[in-house]
Amino acid sequence: MNRKRVIYVVKEALHMYPPCVSQILLMNDFGVDITVICGECDQHLLNEFEKRKIKCIILGNKRISIPQLGKINAYLRFRRKAWRVINQYKDKNTFLWLGTVDSAIALVNKYKKMPYVLSVLELYDKYPFYRFILKRIIHNASAIIACEDNRARIMKTWWSLEQKPYVLPNKPYHHPKMLKQEPTTPDLEAAISKIQGKKVIVYQGIISADRDLAVLAQALNDMKSDYVLVLIGKSFYNGADKVKKIYANSIYLGYFPAPLHLQITSYAHIGIANYDDSSMNNLFCAPNKIYEYTGFGIPVLGSDVPGLTSTIGTFLAGECVDFSDKNSIIDGINRIEDNYVVYQENARKFFKNTDNVSNMKKILLDINS
């Protein structure tokens, strides 16, 4: 298993991609010699890499402030710098591991004669350009990795692959598991002080139109509940303000980088995972948050979409409801409350049952054979 070396590439800010971080750390556990090349990396993660003797080379990810041209320029600059580093560190035993499709696009045609692993974190069913590039590079990959089983099956059909891509669910490598974590920074301490001792329903992630929380806010308002609806993440389209206008007992705490946000999550009573049906990527969602919640034993109130009914729903680790119907949401919350301890135990079982160590071991054995 140790015969191969890996150069792991993420064009973007590595700490924004927990699945990529998990892949790197899992490989390191197996003794793989890894060099990481990325656009950015926060100090928390750099400290961990340093302890593990993982070399991380940061190339920068700034764009010039000209629409479209700035994006192209960033790709070309990363392409030039990254390939220079790859040539410096690669040898005949090296695999190139492309952590995101954007990373693969930045280096397209450069790695034709080099064995590579392709990690595909999204379906891209609404992004023709990404699918065009994938069609060109996916068949020559030594291994293809998806983060959800239905996505892997869809990819096999779309691209007429000989075998289904490997599946590495988006379970975080690190999880503190214990509820009510002690805050480690002044910002976290301030955030937790606002929710401590309250009955928290938490949503963490991007607050965007395809993950609208307005009907949830209406449901909580109609219930005249004592829940505090806590929002963590980057807010687009004024989504957080919209929720606060509907349900006064809402708090928007802003964005906290992973895994620090889990200190806030550890105070939650119920976790929210909602996706609409505007894309196949949403229908077959593969959210980190369901593992972040269930690692604490926090039951999940999720959308009634296959990506959640086949995970949270199958394990009875929460309830999957229609997020466009406030009565469905109210019924789901009441069912969780009526059997809270059972859902809590099932949540922990769901988290424990996902074994990415074995999944990674199989990938490494197969590409080294």
Side-chain angles (χ1 to χ4, degrees), residues 326-345:
K326 67 182 178 183
N327 291 322
S328 179
I329 293 171
I330 291 168
D331 288 345
I333 292 172
N334 287 335
R335 283 194 296 272
I336 290 173
E337 290 293 7
D338 290 344
N339 299 280
Y340 190 83
V341 173
V342 175
Y343 285 106
Q344 198 174 37
E345 290 173 355

Side-chain angles (χ1 to χ4, degrees), residues 59-110:
L59 301 183
N61 200 27
K62 290 184 179 178
R63 294 186 186 180
I64 57 174
S65 56
I66 303 174
Q68 296 305 317
L69 182 60
K71 185 173 183 178
I72 294 168
N73 178 264
Y75 269 92
L76 292 174
R77 192 167 60 248
F78 183 88
R79 176 185 179 87
R80 183 178 65 254
K81 291 180 179 178
W83 195 248
R84 189 184 304 141
V85 175
I86 290 166
N87 272 327
Q88 181 182 346
Y89 285 94
K90 73 181 177 74
D91 60 25
K92 64 180 181 180
N93 293 316
T94 301
F95 263 88
L96 189 63
W97 198 297
L98 300 161
T100 66
V101 173
D102 278 292
S103 311
I105 291 171
L107 293 170
V108 72
N109 290 332
K110 285 284 191 180

